[in-house]
Amino acid sequence: MNDQGTVLIVDADRVERELVCETLAGKGLRLIVTGNMYQAFHQIEHLKVDILIAQLKAERIDGLALLEAAAQHHPDIGVVFITEPNILETDIGIKAMLAYKDTYFLPRPVNPVHLAALLHRTLENQRLAFENRQLLSQIDEKEGLRRLTGNSPQIVRIRDMIAQIAPTKATVMIYGARGTGKELVARAIHHRSLRRGSLIAFNCATLNENLAESELFGHERGAFSGAYYQRKGRFELAHGGTLFLDEVSQLSLSNQARLLRVLEEREFERVGGDKTIQVDVRVVCATNHDLETAAKKREFLPDLYDRLNVVPIQLSTLKERIEDVPLLVKDFLEEFCRQNAKPLMSITPEVVRTLMKYEWPGNVRELKNCIEGLVVTSTQPTIQQMDLPERILKATGIAFSNLPSVPDVPESVDRIPEKQRLNVKVGMSLDEINREALRATLESVDNNKAKAAEILKVSRRTVQRKAKEYGLSDDQNPNASPQPS
């Protein structure tokens, strides 16, 4: 039991304190001992306490108050109460039992063997709880569940709902615009469930009616032209697991009817076969269409709509939870720097504010692609506002001329070759000054855009974009004078 943690012993009885310390000696634990209530509160507040051993009822010790403070500061703390005989039958004993899940009781006089056993059990519970959290964290990392990032009410509600419905067998319908993370939610539901089978995904909008039928239910050899062998469908592959049907509204009415039968009877036949196959599959569907309206118009089977809509989940657009953008940006930066073996990059507050002003029609997926592009193309450790894609700058009302792209003019300007000097004149617009600064920089490095980007402290992509905009690209004359605006 080496390096197991810190034990706080709170007991007004000196003899009892010494007995407890003697029992725990040599077990690799850090022991903090006090007979003073206020000192105990101080230790709980300022130290990481793993186990609290205290009197439940004593003249100078309020065990319930200590328990409340300990649970508040250390959610995983284990508690062992030293009690009077039969105290668990009293009001204070009952309150102690109801107050906290990891609480054990040791009657006086203290039995060292029993104390050691309770301590071992408490430490084992803490170890299992820690390993369980680590395992869930690894699963979340592997399956991308951490992408359910944010503190907005909308994303908190989704996470809470997933935790509630995942262990059940209920069919789930996920509604949301493109890029809002419908498949991500489906994966979260599956991996938080108790199902041991695989998650099998199928996009219902990718194939025509006959091919979609074969993909979902499989086919027998010779069932149709080109069916040279027997093939299992997605339902069979998902047996014991979860089948995720994306864009389920795009299924033909015939395949909708077959899907309804599987949901109700848990059985089907392969295309061209007569053998009934039974399956245990949880179905999670997703769509960006209004299925209720489609069902009323008979464009979608009403009975299937009712069967799929058992637990509806509506995902918000990124614009509706824009306060989650900073956390998402941080998450994506870490991911793409790691993937591309680059040092962790930073991003300026101005860039984050600009990203929060943008409406993100492609939602989280568009933000993710944007950050990936910035990480891959940036040559500087910090992403600047001028590095952002032009569509975002224009949509948020930011002109390039307002960005700090003009380098400082060296004091020894006379030493600079004439062709590399900044030809800045009174009356020039900021846009003309920016063009001249970029021209002179490119001239000084023989049109090497990577070096120019380092000098100007922008990304190479920004230099390429502005060079083309200003007529300074490779196939144009970089010495051309700026055009009047």
Side-chain angles (χ1 to χ4, degrees):
M1 243 194 285
N2 294 323
D3 301 323
Q4 292 288 352
T6 299
V7 179
L8 175 61
I9 303 167
V10 187
D11 199 320
D13 188 322
R14 181 181 61 82
V15 176
E16 202 165 69
R17 292 199 305 266
E18 292 178 354
L19 175 60
V20 172
C21 290
E22 182 180 340
T23 302
L24 303 184
K27 298 186 181 298
L29 296 162
R30 179 189 180 191
L31 305 181
I32 301 175
V33 186
T34 181
N36 185 290
M37 183 78 172
Y38 297 104
Q39 288 182 2
F41 277 123
H42 179 81
Q43 302 289 1
I44 288 172
E45 184 175 351
H46 293 90
L47 293 178
K48 182 184 182 302
V49 179
D50 300 290
I51 298 176
L52 169 66
I53 300 177
Q55 292 173 295
L56 178 58
K57 185 178 181 182
E59 184 177 341
R60 291 179 294 169
I61 304 295
D62 185 344
L64 286 180
L66 286 174
L67 172 60
E68 182 178 351
Q72 180 179 354
H73 288 87
H74 313 287
D76 293 329
I77 194 170
V79 180
V80 177
F81 276 134
I82 299 174
T83 69
E84 301 293 339
N86 302 321
I87 198 173
L88 297 184
E89 300 174 4
T90 65
D91 288 345
I92 189 173
I94 294 173
K95 288 180 180 179
M97 286 188 287
L98 295 175
Y100 193 63
K101 61 182 184 302
D102 292 323
T103 304
Y104 299 98
F105 301 90
L106 186 66
R108 282 195 177 90
V110 174
N111 185 315
V113 175
H114 291 170
L115 174 60
L118 288 179
L119 185 72
H120 176 77
R121 186 184 305 173
T122 301
L123 292 173
E124 183 67 11
N125 288 345
Q126 289 181 334
R127 182 186 65 81
L128 291 174
F130 175 78
E131 291 180 354
N132 187 52
R133 287 195 303 272
Q134 290 291 99
L135 180 60
L136 287 176
S137 176
Q138 292 171 10
I139 293 174
D140 287 354
E141 179 78 15
K142 179 180 178 181
E143 300 301 331
L145 305 188
R146 61 189 176 87
R147 205 55 75 230
L148 292 172
T149 298
N151 294 322
S152 63
Q154 295 93 330
I155 201 67
V156 170
R157 174 181 59 83
I158 295 300
R159 286 199 297 261
D160 290 344
M161 184 173 289
I162 289 172
Q164 182 179 356
I165 68 175
T168 72
K169 296 182 178 181
T171 304
V172 181
M173 173 63 75
I174 306 170
Y175 298 94
R178 65 183 179 91
T180 51
K182 295 187 289 294
E183 183 168 354
L184 179 65
V185 172
R187 292 186 178 278
I189 292 172
H190 172 72
H191 289 286
R192 295 285 187 179
S193 73
L194 305 177
R195 306 189 71 80
R196 297 183 178 273
S198 302
L199 172 70
I200 303 297
F202 177 65
N203 190 320
C204 302
T206 57
L207 299 175
N208 63 34
E209 177 178 345
N210 292 332
L211 290 178
E213 181 183 30
S214 174
E215 281 292 325
L216 285 172
F217 307 106
H219 62 254
E220 298 290 351
R221 179 180 178 182
F224 50 83
S225 177
Y228 301 115
Y229 55 89
Q230 183 193 77
R231 181 179 182 181
K232 292 183 178 180
R234 303 298 174 99
F235 267 101
E236 284 184 81
L237 296 175
H239 178 67
T242 304
L243 178 62
F244 173 56
L245 299 178
D246 197 8
E247 296 303 333
V248 68
S249 61
Q250 301 302 304
L251 277 180
S252 67
L253 291 175
S254 173
N255 284 331
Q256 289 179 34
R258 294 201 65 177
L259 174 59
L260 177 60
R261 181 200 167 195
V262 178
L263 292 173
E264 291 183 340
E265 301 179 13
R266 302 292 174 180
E267 61 183 31
F268 64 94
E269 292 81 32
R270 298 192 189 105
V271 176
D274 55 9
K275 178 184 176 182
T276 299
I277 301 170
Q278 295 184 336
V279 289
D280 172 22
V281 175
R282 182 185 195 171
V283 175
V284 177
C285 298
T287 184
N288 60 5
H289 291 81
D290 183 356
L291 277 193
E292 183 177 9
T293 299
K296 290 179 179 178
K297 294 180 178 180
R298 301 287 173 171
E299 296 171 354
F300 194 84
L301 292 182
D303 288 345
L304 179 59
Y305 168 73
D306 292 337
R307 190 65 183 79
L308 294 177
N309 207 52
V310 177
V311 180
I313 296 179
Q314 179 66 55
L315 301 186
S316 301
T317 63
L318 186 54
K319 180 182 177 182
E320 293 170 327
R321 57 182 189 100
I322 202 69
E323 63 267 40
D324 289 336
V325 165
L327 288 176
L328 286 164
V329 168
K330 178 178 180 294
D331 204 14
F332 291 138
L333 273 177
E334 293 176 355
E335 176 182 347
F336 292 119
C337 285
R338 183 174 62 252
Q339 285 185 7
N340 293 281
K342 300 184 71 171
L344 182 60
M345 302 174 66
S346 60
I347 191 166
T348 67
E350 290 76 17
V351 173
V352 177
R353 282 193 289 270
T354 300
L355 295 177
M356 293 181 71
K357 291 179 182 178
Y358 187 60
E359 294 195 352
W360 299 107
N363 295 293
V364 178
R365 184 186 297 134
E366 183 183 3
L367 174 62
K368 179 179 179 180
N369 294 338
C370 173
I371 299 301
E372 182 178 14
L374 292 173
V375 169
V376 170
T377 60
S378 178
T379 59
Q380 300 297 323
T382 301
I383 295 174
Q384 306 285 342
Q385 202 164 40
M386 64 186 70
D387 297 329
L388 290 174
E390 193 165 4
R391 73 180 190 280
I392 295 180
L393 294 176
K394 287 183 177 180
T396 52
I398 297 176
F400 187 81
S401 58
N402 295 330
L403 301 176
S405 59
V406 182
D408 294 333
V409 179
E411 294 180 1
S412 56
V413 67
D414 290 336
R415 300 178 185 177
I416 303 176
E418 183 66 30
K419 68 175 183 176
Q420 296 178 13
R421 292 184 184 178
L422 288 178
N423 187 21
V424 178
K425 302 176 182 179
V426 176
M428 292 178 66
S429 67
L430 288 175
D431 206 42
E432 291 170 333
I433 294 173
N434 282 334
R435 180 190 186 281
E436 181 61 20
L438 182 58
R439 181 201 65 76
T441 304
L442 288 171
E443 283 282 345
S444 69
V445 295
D446 294 327
N447 211 39
N448 187 316
K449 293 183 174 56
K451 291 183 179 179
E454 292 181 7
I455 294 173
L456 295 173
K457 293 182 171 57
V458 298
S459 70
R460 181 175 180 177
R461 186 175 66 176
T462 298
V463 171
Q464 291 172 331
R465 173 163 58 86
K466 299 313 295 184
K468 182 177 181 180
E469 179 181 326
Y470 290 144
L472 302 176
S473 56
D474 294 341
D475 57 347
Q476 294 169 311
N477 181 9
N479 293 310
S481 59
Q483 299 297 318
S485 56

